Structure formats: C-alpha cells, structure tokens
Amino acid sequence: MSQKQHPFSSRSLRFGVLIAMLSCIATGLIFWFQVNGEHRQGLDDLTRRAQLLGHRIAPMARQALERDDTKVAEVISDRFDGHSRLLGMALYRADGTKIASGQGLSESAESVEGSVKQGLANKAEFSELRRDRSGSTHVLVQPIADEKGDLKGAVVVLHDALYLEERMTRGILRGLLWSLSIAAAMFFITTGIAWTFFERPLHLLAAWMRRLRFGNTPELPPRGLPVAKLTDETVHLAASFRAARSKERDEAQEIVRSDKAWTRDRLRAHAIDALGGESLVVVSNREPYMHQLRDGKPTLVRPASGLVTGLDPVLRATGGLWVAHGAGDADRQTADASGCIPVPPEDARYTLKRVWITKEEEQGYYYGFSNEGLWPLCHLTHERPTFRTGDWEKYVRANQRFADAVLEEIGSEKAVIMVQDYQLALVPGMLKAKRPDLRVGLFWHIPWPNAEAFRICPYRVELLQGMLGADLLGFHLQQHCNNFLETVDRMVEAKLNWDHFSAERKGHTCLVRPFPISVQPWSERGVAAPADLESQIALLRQQHQLNGCMVGVGVDRIDYTKGIAERFRAIERLFEKHPELKGKFTFVQLGAPSRVHIPRYRDLVTDLEQLADSINWKLQADGWKPIHFLVDHHEGPAVYAFLKMASVCIVSSLHDGMNLVAKEFVAAKSEAANEGVDAHGIPEGVLVLSEFAGAARDLPEALIINPYDTEEFAAAIHQAITMEAKERVQRMTRMRLRIEEFNIYRWAADFLTSLTQSKGPVEEVKTSATAAP
C-alpha cells in the first residue's frame, strides 16, 4: 500500500525545482558576465576620456612646471576646474608636490596622493578606480617630461565614476529579476509537463492497480501512459492477476468445503473467501518481524507470539497490511522513508508499517498507562493500578499515531481492520471518526473486570467510547463479555441489546462476542525431530541434574498475575506433607523477565529468587533440590523440550485472560501414549490449572485448583504425580482432541468471519467460521 499522493508534491516538484535552480544559475551567470562586461567597457571609456584631457592639457602643464609656484596660476587659470562628470585636474611636480588644482578638489587631494606617487615612481601613465565613503572616483596620472625626457611632474585627471557603479547595480538587479522570472517559468513549465505526462499517469496506474488488487476492478488501465508498451504489459498483467485470483478463490472455497481440521492452508483459503477482495489490516503494539543490531549488522528476529501465528498466514494470503510499533534498534534503517517494509523478507507477501514512538512516549504509553494502569486494573490480583495524567496523554497520542498510520496507508480503499489488545483501546473510535465505512474489530487479550473495579480508572468513559467504535469487540470468555456490557451500561450512554450482546451508541452498533484463543501445532514451529529431541531432553536433564526424577514444569513471564510465588509455596507444602517424594520429583520453573523498566517487576524477580533459594535450602538433600528457577528468555525449542519431558505442568495464574501455556503443554503431548508412557519413556502429562485462568473453561479435564489455597494446591500436585496411567491418558486425550480442533487458526477464522459479517443486521451475524460453507 502506498502513501496517498498529491499533485506537485513529489518527484514532479523536485524535478521542477532542480530545473528552476539550474536555469536560475545559468541565467544569472549570463547576466553577470554581461553586466561585468558593460562595467569594464564604461571604465575603459572613462580612461580614454581622461587620457584625451591629459594630452590636451600637457603642453600648458609643461609650461607651468617651468615657472615658479607663485606664477603657475597665470598659465593654468581656470582650466583645471571640473564640469559635468569631470571633478577636475591637478598638477604635481616630480617630487610629489601639488602646485595647482581645480576648484573642489581639496577634499580629494589626500585620497589621490598614493596614485600620484605610484605614477611618478613608474614614470608611466597610471589609472585606477578608487572607492571611499563619498563614492567612486576614476584617477588618471599622466607623467610630464621635458624635451630631454626628464620627468618634470604629472597631471592628474579625476572623474566621478559613481554612475558606473549605479549602472552596474541596476544591471545586477535586472539580471536577478530576469533569472528569478525565468526560473519560476521553468519551474511551472517543467513541473506541469512532468506531472501531466509522466507522474500523473503513473499515479493513475498505481491507483488502478490498487483497485485491481483490492476490488478486482474490470476497467482497463488508464490512458496516456508515458510508454505505450507499458499499457500493453499492464493489460496482460491484469488479466493474469484476475485469472490467478479467480483460481485461488475457487481453490479456497473448495478447501473450506472439504477440510474439517483447521490448518494454515484452510485459514488462508477461508480468509480469501471471507474478505471478498477487501484488504485486511492488523494493528498491534508488537510487530511480527523485528530487526535488531547484532555485531553492528541488522538481524531479523521473529518474536514468539500466538497472535503472529494466527494472523501472519492470513496476511500472507491476502497481501494486507500490519501496523505495529517499530521497537527494534535496527528497524529504522531497514524500513523505507514512510516506515514500510515488505515481509517476510525471503518471500514478501504483505507490508509491515512501523510506527515510531520515542522512548519517553513508550515509557508513558506502554510501561505507564498500559502496564501500570490498565494491566493491574483488569487483573484482579490486589495490585494497585497507577494512573498519571502524563501517561494518559502519551497513550492518547500513541493511539492516534497508530490510527493515522492506518488511514495514511489505506487511503480511500475499503478495509477490514483487526486491532489487538489493551494498548490500542482508542484506535477503533479514532478510525471510525475519520472513516465510518471501515469494518473495525478489537480483540481484548486480557480479562475485563467487573464494573465496580473498572470504575477506578479516571479515563473510563474515554476508553469505553474508543472501544465502542469497533464493529466487533472480542474477549476470551463470555464472562468478560458480560462484565464489559455491564460496565458500558453503568458508565456510558448506550443502548444495550442483551439478546444479541451488542451496544448501540450514536447510531453505531458494537457486537460483543467471546473468541477463546488457542495455539499453533508444535510441528509447525521448527522444533527438534524425535531423534534430536531425545538427545536434547537428555542434555537438559544432565545439565540441570534432573536424571532419575519425575519433572514438573511451569513456563511464565515473570509477572505478579502468574501466581509463581503461590506455586513455589505449594511445592514446599507438597514435600512437607509427602517427604517420600524427595529425590523422586522436582519442579522446573522457566521464567522470562518482563517489563523490567517497572520497579514492581524488577523487585518481583528478586523476591521469587529469594523464595526459591529459601525453599531449596530448607528441603534439598544429596544434590537434589525441589525447585529449579531458570530466569532467562527461553527459545521455543527449549520450552518444547521441557514440556515434552514434564509429567506435570502447573499453571497457577491469579487472574488470566486465557493463559496459552496450558494449551501449549497439551499440544506438546501430541504422541499417543502406550500404557500411559510416550516414546521417550515419559508418563503421559497431567495439567494442574488455576480456576482463574480462562483456559480452565476450555480444559475442564485438568486438575482445577485455587492458587490461593495452598493445601488444595499441594494436594492437586500430589494427585497429578500419583495419578493412574489410564486416567492420565483419558484426561490428556480429551484435552488434546479439543486443542487440535479449536486451534489458533480456528480462532482467527472465527473472529475474521464475525468481523466481515458485522455490517449486516445483528440477527444475521454468525459467530463461528465453521458455519461457512
């Protein structure tokens, strides 16, 4: 997608400016040489006139030099007086003494003494143009010799040369005006020609190609292209493109009809069918492709994200746009002037537009308002939210910047826009304010609290109004949908329809629906093959002294909502109640540092390390310890290896929108177990899951616990360790089948289907992509 162009604003303008500058310089040089030549010619004429006067007065001067100074006046009389431009003449003896001069030359006497001395010393005629405060004076010194050739003195002729300077100044001004006039004329002529015959046809061609790409326009390409062959090739290219798109849609419909399982290919086909030629735009804080400097060179990084997993294949298929914060330290140098870059780099299919946010703005918008305000507000973990006016102002500015980036790129084209998460709550309303025809969806990835809790936010009305600008608003759970509508009912003037779960405000209807997010199959993520995986697991066991033990695992960002401290205390209580498990079971906690710019998060890492050390010091024996707390940013293959080796996975969130770790664990246990043991000799896994995580609604076969109840928590871990193989297999099989059916591709398809249908009557809106033929 290209930035909207305006007449005379791009290459035509630059070309016109270049030609105008060159013509101005060329014309100026021509006028300069002309004026300078005229000045030299005027000076030469003045010199010849002075020479003529000097020659005429020479005989009289020679007679005067032969007399005493007192009798010189008798010879000279008034013949040395000036008239018109002649200021006058003066007579000097050979020693430089002035013996006669015309009237009015007394002020100029001192100024010409240097010229007289130089002329007498050289015994040759000398002339020069002298400039002082009173003006310009032309001086001619003509030596006078007797019959023997001996120097007797000199006649000095002075002319007023100010008129030459004034004439030169007028010439320069006239030349400057002519140069500017010619430059202006050349600018408008060349810009007009370039725009009319080159750039405008190419803009029309680009607009036509955009319509072809988005709407499959049947019209012919614009006429008047600068190269006739370009028209022919464009027609052929359009025909090939239409044929390919028609074939792709037919194949997409066939895949949608024939496939039962949701795969990357089925999602791609479904997106093509659902969008109907409209462009898809994803807006998120996190970007799908990031560039970081490593050894001074930009390196491509693909951040791990379920969101990227679900939407990247859709954009690859539809050639859409992803707008995200350019957070990589090499992002600017790899993007173009407007922040755009085609991705993926190895096979460009869609455009990533990076939004630039300063460190100060990021501190207020992301770390401040989003993660010190909205995050604790929406997670009921008794953490006090912090709201600052400065953070809110930066949040509004950042959201407006994202919205402006979207509007800039899509221009006047129709588009389906999927906005992601709480960092961009105002974007839907901002988009709708400028383009009411857009279809905008917002998916809220974290919980939505009850109305009384949300009332804490000083900017609650503005946030709700921004979110209600969406045509479709998605949450993980129906409970979150209920909480949101109750919040709207109490705080915003809107008409609620509880039968259809919608809110109408100022004539605009926002549908509110649950879309439980899920995970991508591990087989698609480049993890180790079975033979390599076995070696990797063996290496990890040896590295962390896990041999001979049943392993439990937890995988989390280090966040106070994840209940890691409660998990450690439950492990401690487990060994206090069941000391026989010492040396037989150990727990590995993979903890990724997160939001370390916020003091609460930095302190949490220290507190958890101290708690783990305290428990280990209390319970460890003979090289064994109950808790391995591994603080690092663990790569996907390492996480997969730990999930595969684990017999128990613990998810103890104090409050979570979904928590995909629970589903990742189930997806990792994809091999059919033989009598409860997989191909690596590891017992089938058991999931211990907090009732406060959204995943508990999707995975009821897990052992559901209250993480605040340490006794119940410890008992559930013991039950998971000692569970019979048959029950393990039954529980895991049911969860595995559900995850395979309701995966990340199904989630993306469901949300996209509901969004593309959101403009019709509420009664006709479908909430499941499975209803599509």
Side-chain angles (χ1 to χ4, degrees):
M1 298 183 182
S2 61
Q3 185 175 346
K4 185 177 180 181
Q5 298 285 341
H6 299 281
F8 311 116
S9 62
S10 55
R11 287 182 172 83
S12 296
L13 180 62
R14 293 196 294 272
F15 181 68
V17 170
L18 176 62
I19 296 299
M21 291 177 61
L22 292 176
S23 62
C24 184
I25 293 172
T27 308
L29 289 174
I30 291 172
F31 271 99
W32 168 253
F33 285 119
Q34 180 181 351
V35 170
N36 198 45
E38 292 176 352
H39 182 70
R40 287 198 304 271
Q41 183 178 355
L43 196 59
D44 290 342
D45 290 342
L46 200 57
T47 301
R48 285 192 294 271
R49 189 181 307 162
Q51 288 174 341
L52 181 61
L53 289 173
H55 286 301
R56 287 180 180 178
I57 205 69
M60 185 184 302
R62 192 173 293 112
Q63 293 178 15
L65 289 170
E66 291 175 354
R67 300 188 179 191
D68 294 333
D69 293 349
T70 57
K71 297 180 179 182
V72 170
E74 297 176 0
V75 178
I76 298 301
S77 185
D78 61 349
R79 296 180 184 180
F80 275 24
D81 292 343
H83 59 86
S84 184
R85 292 172 181 166
L86 176 64
L87 296 176
M89 293 182 287
L91 182 62
Y92 288 82
R93 292 194 183 277
D95 60 359
T97 304
K98 184 176 72 171
I99 59 174
S101 66
Q103 294 182 3
L105 289 185
S106 57
E107 295 181 358
S108 305
E110 294 182 1
S111 63
V112 300
E113 286 182 358
S115 302
V116 173
K117 290 179 180 179
Q118 187 171 350
L120 292 172
N122 294 334
K123 298 181 181 181
E125 187 178 275
F126 172 78
S127 66
E128 67 173 342
L129 188 67
R130 301 184 68 88
R131 294 181 177 88
D132 54 30
R133 295 179 180 179
S134 60
S136 297
T137 304
H138 179 269
V139 180
L140 174 72
V141 180
Q142 192 174 66
I144 302 295
D146 58 13
E147 295 177 353
K148 296 179 181 180
D150 295 332
L151 181 67
K152 294 297 183 178
V155 174
V156 179
V157 183
L158 284 80
H159 279 92
D160 183 4
L162 183 61
Y163 76 98
L164 291 178
E165 300 294 318
E166 292 175 346
R167 188 168 63 185
M168 185 175 185
T169 301
R170 288 194 299 272
I172 291 174
L173 291 175
R174 185 172 63 252
L176 179 61
L177 290 175
W178 270 103
S179 298
L180 293 176
S181 300
I182 293 173
M186 292 299 295
F187 169 76
F188 288 112
I189 291 172
T190 54
T191 302
I193 291 174
W195 172 258
T196 303
F197 297 103
F198 291 93
E199 191 168 3
R200 182 174 179 274
L202 293 177
H203 283 323
L204 293 175
L205 178 62
W208 176 84
M209 294 179 71
R210 171 180 286 190
R211 291 195 299 274
L212 175 68
R213 183 159 57 94
F214 291 160
N216 199 20
T217 177
E219 65 189 60
L220 293 174
R223 297 180 179 180
L225 296 178
V227 180
K229 192 172 182 180
L230 182 60
T231 303
D232 298 334
E233 292 300 325
T234 302
V235 172
H236 297 321
L237 179 63
S240 301
F241 183 81
R242 292 189 186 100
R245 172 169 281 180
S246 177
K247 180 180 179 182
E248 190 176 43
R249 284 180 177 171
D250 292 341
E251 291 176 350
Q253 291 175 353
E254 183 62 28
I255 291 173
V256 171
R257 285 193 294 267
S258 60
D259 282 7
K260 294 183 179 180
W262 279 97
T263 62
R264 183 191 297 266
D265 290 337
R266 186 181 178 189
L267 173 60
R268 183 184 297 114
H270 176 80
I272 295 172
D273 190 36
L275 290 169
E278 292 189 14
S279 177
L280 177 64
V281 180
V282 175
V283 190
S284 67
N285 179 71
R286 178 180 293 185
E287 56 185 331
Y289 298 91
M290 177 187 296
H291 285 89
Q292 297 280 20
L293 284 177
R294 293 181 180 173
D295 298 327
K297 297 180 180 180
T299 303
L300 182 68
V301 178
R302 291 177 170 88
S305 169
L307 175 66
V308 174
T309 298
L311 297 179
D312 182 71
V314 178
L315 286 174
R316 289 194 189 202
T318 59
L321 171 73
W322 195 311
V323 178
H325 171 209
D329 53 14
D331 278 351
R332 280 186 183 270
Q333 66 186 83
T334 53
D336 63 18
S338 61
C340 293
I341 179 174
V343 291
E346 68 276 4
D347 182 23
R349 295 298 185 92
Y350 66 92
T351 300
L352 169 62
K353 181 177 179 64
R354 288 165 171 161
V355 177
W356 310 123
I357 296 175
T358 66
K359 290 297 182 184
E360 181 184 2
E361 290 172 332
E362 184 181 14
Q363 183 64 41
Y365 143 74
Y366 181 75
Y367 293 106
F369 189 81
S370 295
N371 289 310
E372 289 187 280
L374 289 180
W375 179 268
L377 176 68
C378 293
H379 290 84
L380 303 180
T381 58
H382 312 292
E383 183 73 17
R384 181 176 179 176
T386 301
F387 295 103
R388 309 178 188 92
T389 302
D391 291 347
W392 165 251
E393 291 171 351
K394 293 181 179 67
Y395 183 85
V396 174
R397 285 204 301 269
N399 275 245
Q400 187 65 62
R401 198 165 297 170
F402 277 91
D404 291 343
V406 173
L407 294 171
E408 178 186 8
E409 288 300 312
I410 64 175
S412 60
E413 304 297 335
K414 293 183 178 179
V416 176
I417 300 172
M418 298 175 66
V419 183
Q420 303 296 319
D421 225 353
Y422 61 100
Q423 300 96 345
L424 304 174
L426 302 179
V427 170
M430 292 173 173
L431 291 174
K432 284 290 189 176
K434 298 288 183 64
R435 288 285 306 277
D437 60 308
L438 296 175
R439 278 184 280 191
V440 181
L442 170 63
F443 189 79
W444 193 266
H445 288 260
I446 62 177
W448 188 270
N450 60 62
E452 288 304 314
F454 194 76
R455 187 183 295 276
I456 294 172
C457 180
Y459 313 102
R460 55 188 178 272
V461 174
E462 293 89 337
L463 284 168
L464 291 171
Q465 290 174 347
M467 295 173 69
L468 289 173
D471 298 296
L472 176 66
L473 180 55
F475 294 95
H476 287 299
L477 304 179
Q478 183 63 53
Q479 177 188 344
H480 300 160
C481 298
N482 298 346
N483 289 346
F484 177 79
L485 286 179
E486 288 176 0
T487 304
V488 171
D489 191 26
R490 296 190 187 188
M491 301 179 191
V492 179
E493 290 187 9
K495 181 181 178 181
L496 301 188
N497 186 331
W498 287 96
D499 293 334
H500 300 291
F501 267 82
S502 65
E504 181 180 341
R505 180 177 176 272
K506 295 184 178 181
H508 171 72
T509 299
C510 174
L511 305 176
V512 184
R513 297 285 186 271
F515 299 94
I517 199 170
S518 192
V519 296
Q520 178 188 27
W522 279 102
S523 59
E524 299 179 5
R525 302 193 222 178
V527 295
D532 297 330
L533 179 63
E534 189 169 348
S535 300
Q536 186 179 8
I537 290 176
L539 180 63
L540 289 173
R541 281 187 173 275
Q542 180 180 3
Q543 182 180 353
H544 299 288
Q545 298 180 342
L546 304 176
N547 289 321
C549 292
M550 179 183 287
V551 175
V553 71
V555 182
D556 301 272
R557 282 187 310 103
I558 299 179
D559 192 291
Y560 53 80
T561 65
K562 302 302 179 181
I564 300 175
E566 287 75 10
R567 193 178 308 171
F568 287 175
R569 294 189 187 99
I571 295 292
E572 178 185 25
R573 185 59 180 152
L574 168 71
F575 289 109
E576 288 175 349
K577 295 177 65 176
H578 302 281
E580 71 277 6
L581 293 177
K582 291 182 179 181
K584 298 179 181 179
F585 175 80
T586 190
F587 181 73
V588 178
Q589 175 63 51
L590 305 183
S594 173
R595 302 167 186 167
V596 293
H597 294 280
I598 301 175
R600 176 70 176 88
Y601 283 81
R602 292 199 300 270
D603 296 342
L604 180 61
V605 175
T606 303
D607 294 344
L608 291 174
E609 289 177 332
Q610 290 176 351
L611 178 59
D613 290 343
S614 174
I615 295 172
N616 285 335
W617 181 84
K618 176 182 177 181
L619 298 174
Q620 65 186 353
D622 299 329
W624 169 90
K625 60 182 180 181
I627 298 174
H628 297 259
F629 187 26
L630 308 181
V631 180
D632 199 358
H633 292 283
H634 303 277
E635 298 292 335
V639 173
Y640 177 66
F642 274 109
L643 292 176
K644 287 293 291 185
M645 84 167 69
S647 302
V648 178
C649 179
I650 303 177
V651 175
S652 55
S653 303
L654 305 182
H655 199 196
D656 229 332
M658 176 55 65
N659 194 298
L660 293 179
V661 173
K663 296 186 177 183
E664 298 281 17
F665 176 67
V666 174
K669 300 295 184 179
S670 57
E671 299 176 5
N674 180 19
E675 296 182 357
V677 179
D678 67 12
H680 305 287
I682 300 170
E684 184 63 284
V686 179
L687 176 63
V688 178
L689 179 58
S690 167
E691 64 178 292
F692 304 121
R697 276 71 168 175
D698 291 346
L699 303 173
E701 293 81 9
L703 299 180
I704 306 299
I705 54 98
N706 178 353
Y708 292 99
D709 188 341
T710 305
E711 294 294 329
E712 178 193 79
F713 198 166
I717 300 173
H718 182 262
Q719 181 184 354
I721 295 171
T722 59
M723 185 178 291
E724 294 292 332
K726 183 178 180 181
E727 184 178 358
R728 285 172 171 268
V729 173
Q730 289 175 346
R731 287 175 179 266
M732 184 55 69
T733 299
R734 287 195 292 269
M735 290 191 291
R736 184 187 303 123
L737 292 175
R738 190 174 295 108
I739 294 300
E740 290 174 355
E741 181 179 359
F742 295 93
N743 57 21
I744 186 66
Y745 303 124
R746 172 81 173 260
W747 169 83
D750 283 352
F751 190 86
L752 185 59
T753 299
S754 295
L755 179 56
T756 54
Q757 297 177 353
S758 60
K759 280 294 184 181
V762 175
E763 292 81 5
E764 296 179 4
V765 175
K766 300 176 183 178
T767 59
S768 174
T770 55

